Amino acid sequence: MIFAGVVPESFNIKNYAPTNIGAFLNPLETNKALYALATSLDVITIWTLVLLAIGIAAVSGVKRTSGYIAVFGWWAILVLIGVGIAAATS
């Protein structure tokens, strides 16, 4: 990104690739809780969670929907905790 002509002052190491919604938001002007939620909605993270859910369902011998519920449920809980901490510290 830096070699592509991006100004070094605007480079954010936490969002170096625009694969999530938070990469398109200004972290200084956006609400911290909204920014935390937007950065957690990442294409690569969601794809990893899908593969993890399929793997858990295959290993444990349950339906895929149970694997999806388990993986995405825990991910949603962790995202909500992170958004809550960001909202409390802003």
Side-chain angles (χ1 to χ4, degrees), residues 33-45:
L34 178 64
Y35 187 72
L37 180 63
T39 55
S40 65
L41 297 174
D42 190 5
V43 173
I44 296 172
T45 302

Side-chain angles (χ1 to χ4, degrees), residues 11 14 20 24 27 29-30 34 38 41 43 46 52-53 60-61 72-73:
F11 181 74
K14 293 182 181 178
N20 58 28
F24 301 107
E29 296 177 359
T30 308
L34 178 64
L41 297 174
V43 173
I46 292 172
L52 185 62
S60 64
F72 280 96

Side-chain angles (χ1 to χ4, degrees), residues 3-78:
F3 294 121
V6 176
V7 181
E9 290 82 24
S10 67
F11 181 74
N12 186 0
I13 192 68
K14 293 182 181 178
N15 283 328
Y16 53 88
T19 59
N20 58 28
I21 301 170
F24 301 107
L25 299 174
N26 187 356
L28 300 176
E29 296 177 359
T30 308
N31 184 4
K32 301 267 188 215
L34 178 64
Y35 187 72
L37 180 63
T39 55
S40 65
L41 297 174
D42 190 5
V43 173
I44 296 172
T45 302
I46 292 172
W47 178 245
T48 305
L49 291 173
V50 167
L51 292 178
L52 185 62
I54 292 171
I56 286 175
V59 169
S60 64
V62 296
K63 295 181 190 177
R64 281 193 185 169
T65 55
S66 299
Y68 288 127
I69 290 170
V71 170
F72 280 96
W74 279 108
W75 176 74
I77 289 171
L78 291 175

